[in-house]
Amino acid sequence: MQNINNYDFSGKRAIVRVDFNVPLNEALEITDDTRIRAAIPTLKKVLSSGGSLIIMSHLGRPKGPSEKLSLKHIVKRVEELLGTTLKFADDCQNADDLAANLKPGEVLLLENLRFYAEEEGKPRGVAEDATEEEKKAAKAAVKESQKLFVEKLASYADCYINDAFGTAHRAHASTALIAKYFPNDKMFGYLMEGEIKAIDQVLGHPERPLTAILGGAKVSSKIGIIEHLLDFVDNMIIGGGMVYTFKKAQGGTIGDSLVEEDQFDLALRIVEKAEQKGVKLYFTSEVYATNAFDNDAEKIICPSNAIPDGWQGMDASPAAIEQFREVLLNSKTILWNGPVGVFEMPNFANGTNSIAKILAEVTQKGAFTLVGGGDSVAAVTKMGFADKVSYVSTGGGAMLEYLEGIELPGIKAIRE
Ligand code: AMP
């Protein structure tokens, strides 16, 4: 494994996996270029060090070549951000000449990798009523052709950089398999390095107390993270729809609030594990409850374990947020994932927005704060606090898997 800062790029062609999976509107214009901007430092580094670039990415979930999901729609924006013109290969498997003729400082963008089933290594077009044998054969066939697909991509370049944290949890051709063709010339880009460093600062060598705030709808989807984090944190704040499953499991009444009855045992096990580990668990103690799942429904404030029949918990109350604030003000490292209320409804966004605000406040006081996962990132961004917390992760799914303790294929492939 090499380091992008020390690697000698002069006269070399670098193939870089980026995440240019940006949202496009009906007119095929980019509506949010955050992901493109996130990769620019790495791309500029190669160019300014005398190398040339072959950029590869996926866009959307095409089932084959698709005009709508062509990466040509983003060429102009990349050119503006990089300050140079791009060559474009409209078939990522047929770019030999374009790649071979690249001169130092030149950039080639490959067409959407997912136009080929081999990128993901999953067969396409297998009939739903296909027999198990047929499905197996289709899988084996795509795995076989995937080798040629990766070999072709690798043949374009002298070194490989992975800067696509958003797809690091996928063992795809361009995110993982390609790395083995560059045993001495593979490295992370700056974005990947930043993400890994931020998570290591939380789970590897945090300044304590370390507090995790976990929100969201379901215990079942967060259980892996909760259990893993209990081995690391001093405090765990649990908010959002998850709370009611815990409260009901502990004998409380939760009215019509969100609940997963099949998770009661697990919820009680988590409480027990936290006790054993000496982790202080904090749940939303008091909530806004409504008589309908509606932004304009009538609302009352009640304890989260005493919600009347016909009412459901929607957001943390100001008193509950104040309790969270106290814990957060006393923390030196904080990790936040998941909203603490139905934040899509303006009347129940206060809890989540308040957490964003408190994180900005404690960051200013010197705490390290990491925000990960789509909804919490959206909340800090919307509140204008994205640059007031220590780190905002760009990878939703990848971040969640990392927090579960899963070794991400995209990271492993570079390291091993
Ligand atoms: P997740 O994808 O598990 O992180 O969950 C995010 C979702 O949780 C968001 O869409 C929120 O609206 C939802 N959520 C948060 N708190 C509650 C609650 N009290 N009741 C229902 N849904 C909630």
Side-chain angles (χ1 to χ4, degrees), residues 75-140:
V75 166
K76 202 168 133 260
R77 188 71 191 118
V78 180
E79 287 182 336
E80 285 163 3
L81 288 167
L82 263 187
T84 187
T85 53
L86 256 60
K87 296 176 194 298
F88 186 72
D90 55 16
D91 178 352
C92 72
Q93 288 290 286
N94 204 353
D96 309 66
D97 289 346
L98 284 167
N101 292 325
L102 281 177
K103 296 185 192 64
E106 289 188 337
V107 187
L108 170 65
L109 174 67
L110 303 182
E111 180 57 288
N112 194 343
L113 297 164
R114 288 194 190 165
F115 284 1
Y116 284 86
E118 285 79 4
E119 163 62 1
E120 294 176 273
K122 280 189 255 161
R124 286 180 184 157
V126 184
E128 266 182 36
D129 58 357
T131 63
E132 278 312 307
E133 293 254 304
E134 286 167 334
K135 283 182 190 163
K136 243 181 169 171
K139 211 168 169 186

Side-chain angles (χ1 to χ4, degrees), residues 216-218 221-222 240-241 244 258 313-314 339 341-342 344 375:
K218 290 186 169 170
S221 67
K222 294 286 161 81
Y244 311 105
L258 200 65
M314 297 288 276
V342 186
E344 297 91 341
D375 292 330

